[in-house]
Amino acid sequence: QAFFCLLLCIPWGSSCPPSCQCTERAGAKAVLCSSRHLEEIPKDIPRDVVFLKLDANSITRIPSNAFRHLSHLEEIDLSRNAIEKIDRAAFKGVAAGLRTLDLSSNRIRSIPKEALLALNAKLRLANNPWHCECALQEVLWEARLDLDSVQDITCHTAPREEYVGKPLLQVLDAGVNFCSVRQRTMDVAMFVTMFGWFAMVIVYVICYVRHNREDSCRHGDYLRPLPSAQAHTE
């Protein structure tokens, strides 16, 4: 934060989004758009920006390729917005150099794991109304989370009421595995589907056999009154 305050004192000579302030210090360029009532990510952010602050706005979604042209980005602050949806390719193009991504204090309930697991950045995900599920569990296990805020990743909703209101890390430490629950659910659904198809085949075979038998009976009933070849000769 102190670094960003110092950057405020040195303006850029290049273009800058009209709702933001752009500064530079020691070759590191920053775009500061904090508390500007933004509802979406600005489209005209300079390509050589290193630090991007979009906190305390009203942004609701991070679309695919939102930062793709910003290959020099090292820090993105999206905290204290109203973000509810994050697309799978939201951070495509910045994975290599990004060091910090702050998504804390938003309205995020779930997030595609593909959007975060490709990043090497330290993630802040605290104070969101998370739905505890397999994807969030995999993010917690595999992503680089900020250790100071990981305890504030709390289950706002969960498959079982007893997990609601508890830190996700505490729930997982108790031996809960949301991914195995999902796998069991998928296995049951597959079994039910296979049983349904099998039952349909059996019903079809029974109907087919019954229909052929009825046709044979009708054919026999038709032939029975006809005079035989021998009677016809006599």
Side-chain angles (χ1 to χ4, degrees):
Q1 293 179 346
F3 181 67
F4 280 116
C5 291
L6 288 173
L7 288 175
L8 283 171
C9 303
I10 307 175
W12 283 12
S14 58
S15 61
C16 184
S19 57
C20 304
Q21 184 174 0
C22 298
T23 61
E24 181 177 354
R25 180 175 182 269
K29 297 182 178 181
V31 174
L32 312 176
C33 309
S34 305
S35 304
R36 300 301 173 97
H37 306 290
L38 299 176
E39 296 182 356
E40 60 181 18
I41 297 169
K43 300 291 193 299
D44 49 355
I45 299 173
R47 292 178 175 272
D48 53 353
V49 62
V50 176
F51 305 100
L52 178 59
K53 286 185 68 67
L54 294 164
D55 56 303
N57 283 292
S58 302
I59 299 171
T60 59
R61 179 191 173 201
I62 307 178
S64 297
N65 303 312
F67 309 99
R68 188 171 186 174
H69 65 291
L70 308 178
S71 58
H72 298 280
L73 264 180
E74 295 182 8
E75 296 185 16
I76 305 176
D77 187 354
L78 285 158
S79 63
R80 296 183 295 150
N81 274 278
I83 297 171
E84 297 180 351
K85 181 175 177 55
I86 299 176
D87 291 356
R88 294 178 183 274
F91 303 104
K92 187 175 181 178
V94 298
L98 196 64
R99 297 185 306 177
T100 302
L101 173 61
D102 195 342
L103 293 169
S104 59
S105 301
N106 278 281
R107 300 175 184 174
I108 307 170
R109 296 189 70 252
S110 62
I111 189 169
K113 63 180 181 180
E114 297 85 356
L116 298 182
L117 294 184
L119 300 176
N120 294 319
K122 182 182 291 185
L123 304 175
R124 298 190 181 102
L125 304 176
N127 301 318
N128 282 286
W130 291 108
H131 174 65
C132 288
E133 58 181 347
C134 182
L136 182 59
Q137 174 180 314
E138 290 178 337
V139 168
L140 190 67
W141 282 349
E142 300 180 36
R144 291 185 58 226
L145 297 180
D146 178 55
L147 297 180
D148 295 333
S149 63
V150 69
Q151 287 291 346
D152 294 321
I153 301 176
T154 303
C155 296
H156 184 74
T157 56
R160 297 177 62 174
E161 189 66 26
E162 62 188 275
Y163 306 143
V164 175
K166 294 183 178 180
L168 176 59
L169 190 61
Q170 177 183 335
V171 173
L172 297 179
D173 284 344
V176 176
N177 188 335
F178 294 107
C179 295
S180 65
V181 170
R182 185 181 70 173
Q183 185 61 46
R184 286 198 298 271
T185 302
M186 291 176 62
D187 290 344
V188 171
M190 185 174 296
F191 174 79
V192 171
T193 302
M194 292 178 64
F195 179 81
W197 279 106
F198 181 74
M200 289 176 61
V201 171
I202 294 298
V203 170
Y204 174 79
V205 171
I206 292 174
C207 292
Y208 180 79
V209 171
R210 182 177 297 174
H211 178 74
N212 285 348
R213 182 178 297 172
E214 291 175 353
D215 284 348
S216 298
C217 291
R218 283 196 297 269
H219 186 66
D221 292 340
Y222 173 76
L223 294 177
R224 193 173 294 115
L226 296 178
S228 63
Q230 183 178 0
H232 182 70
T233 302
E234 292 175 354

